[in-house]
Amino acid sequence: LPTLSMPPEEPPKSRRSIAPGQSSAPERRHGMEALSKGDLAEALTALRKGVEKTKSAPPMERARAKLAHAVGLFASGQEHEALLEGLEALARAREAEDPRGEEACVRFLAKVSESVGKPELALKWRELLPPS
């Protein structure tokens, strides 16, 4: 009898490989290091380059780059832009079916909401977090 073979399963969206030029890890590392040293201009430049580099990358990599950029924007006092970038990061994490990425984005959005004087919004974000 002939055997039936199943087509190979596609890897989950969050686990698809990243092409060599699509990883923003070096830019994220550099940006976060510059941020920790207080060099906001250098940090934002590196983090923005990381976002640009991931335009055609899988959603998980785009989410990471966007969240890192959001952190840099927030640190530089650009709360509105940080919220927008954080929301975009959350959307990409959800697209990637990445629960850890989603949680990181939600925690960030809650923190930013709290800092801009929106405690009720921060509470709504925190309600989306898994019980700890």
Side-chain angles (χ1 to χ4, degrees):
L1 291 170
T3 59
L4 297 175
S5 63
M6 298 296 292
E9 285 189 35
E10 188 172 318
K13 289 180 186 179
S14 62
R15 303 289 179 235
R16 292 191 184 136
S17 63
I18 299 170
Q22 294 179 327
S23 173
S24 65
E27 291 82 6
R28 288 194 321 263
R29 267 192 304 278
H30 179 72
M32 289 299 155
E33 184 177 302
L35 199 57
S36 73
K37 293 177 181 175
D39 190 348
L40 295 176
E42 180 67 24
L44 287 174
T45 298
L47 296 169
R48 193 174 304 112
K49 283 181 185 175
V51 169
E52 290 169 10
K53 193 175 184 181
T54 63
K55 287 190 187 249
S56 62
M60 180 185 272
E61 185 62 21
R62 291 194 337 255
R64 289 175 178 168
K66 288 189 166 289
L67 182 57
H69 187 228
V71 169
L73 290 167
F74 180 65
S76 70
Q78 299 177 59
E79 293 92 355
H80 184 261
E81 292 82 358
L83 279 169
L84 292 174
E85 195 76 338
L87 286 168
E88 182 66 26
L90 176 60
R92 299 297 67 80
R94 286 184 171 172
E95 181 182 351
E97 298 172 5
D98 175 18
R100 286 181 42 203
E102 278 188 54
E103 184 176 339
C105 292
V106 168
R107 286 186 189 285
F108 173 76
L109 291 166
K111 181 177 181 171
V112 174
S113 298
E114 187 78 44
S115 80
V116 297
K118 300 287 185 186
E120 66 286 345
L121 183 55
L123 181 61
K124 291 289 183 189
W125 281 117
R126 287 186 185 103
E127 287 173 0
L128 298 176
L129 294 171
S132 41

